[in-house]
Amino acid sequence: MAPIAVPPGELDKRKIVGVNAETVTNVTSTDFPGHYPGEDHAWDIKSFSNLFSITFYKNDRYDASFSLIGIDASIANAFRRILLAEIPTLAIEHVFVHNNTSIVQDEVLAHRLGLVPLTGAAEGLKWIRYYPKQDEGDPAPGAADYNTVVLKLHIECTKNLDAKKGEDDPLKRYHNAHVYAHHMTWEPVGRQTTMFPEPDGVIRPVNPDILLAKMRPGQVIDLEMHCVKGLGADHAKFSPVCTASYRLLPTIDIIKPILGPDAKKFARCFPKGVIGVEEVTEAEARIEGSGYEGHVGEKKAVVVNSFRDTVSRECLRHDEFVGKVKLGRVRDHFIFGVESTGQYDSDALFLESVKVLKAKCTDLKRDLGNIMR
């Protein structure tokens, strides 16, 4: 029996998740074999390639927004989880405090230092290996140029003898009253000088103006930091993103005319730019059954850009809009927002997540092959 041809537009309707006043409907995917009698929904690489697309809306260095269209929620969520927890980065792991007479306790200062995002040459970061884990009872593994990056911080607060009498601004009254991330210095070892070339490839804080501590004359901070490669799954400081999230593309269908003062009220129920107000044209008024007959020149509500909608459902709270509008989301249209901490460019992060997922699939395929032998 030949597969039944699906009517035009029917597949698009099936992809819409209904958003009602108090419920959400049609949340489960149905595009798999056996759900619709006579229809063939077997996965095919060719059809997937034709339907899948990526659209970028913003591609700044540390902030990207793009859509993945035509994939399942499980794949989109896999990318999100990999972005958060499975792309390796460099962060401060060990802090050796030689002297700290500031008011910030050693452990608190060490915690603050560990959360400072670092950056450096991309090739050098890939060259760095994971620091070997120490088993109980074994001697501590040795630090080497290929698994440890050393940073140092030595700073002392002193009085500024050139400050004006009566000056109450500590930044003018003292030297080094505030300790910032740019006071940390990188101590290259071995091949690190080659792998992290000056000036742009050296290991350094992403933001040099992160405040670490405040000091007063006589106080000193002298410490050494060892940075290692790690994953966000082990600690949040290794996560390469500030945030990585997605949302489904909203849909707004006005099924009955919304006219006059109601049109303006309807527009106020949505974020600015989602709903517009236009005049009913003569051509629209001549269409029988359109609901615009006899309303030439009156204001009507139209959907301008549903992409900006936050799906607050505010319009569903008002009786005058009951039965006039349908809200929904497109089930296979994922709008991603990725903000990098600075070790990777935001668009490169997504490519790294693809590599990680591909490696996982390769491992699974190999393991399945071993089971079948």
Side-chain angles (χ1 to χ4, degrees), residues 92-131:
I92 296 170
E93 177 73 0
H94 304 289
V95 178
F96 302 93
V97 181
H98 303 305
N99 191 11
N100 176 25
T101 56
S102 72
I103 63 170
V104 184
Q105 297 94 332
D106 293 353
E107 60 272 24
V108 176
L109 181 59
H111 184 266
R112 290 179 65 84
L113 292 168
L115 295 175
V116 174
L118 305 174
T119 188
E123 290 303 317
L125 294 172
K126 292 179 180 178
W127 170 74
I128 291 288
R129 303 179 195 173
Y130 289 101
Y131 191 82

Side-chain angles (χ1 to χ4, degrees), residues 190-228:
R191 290 166 290 176
Q192 292 178 2
T193 305
T194 305
M195 302 307 299
F196 300 100
E198 296 184 357
D200 298 328
V202 299
I203 299 295
R204 63 197 184 278
V206 175
N207 185 346
D209 297 323
I210 297 175
L211 182 64
L212 302 177
K214 294 183 179 182
M215 299 196 300
R216 289 298 180 265
Q219 295 181 342
V220 179
I221 294 178
D222 182 15
L223 48 84
E224 181 175 307
M225 298 154 279
H226 287 190
C227 312
V228 301

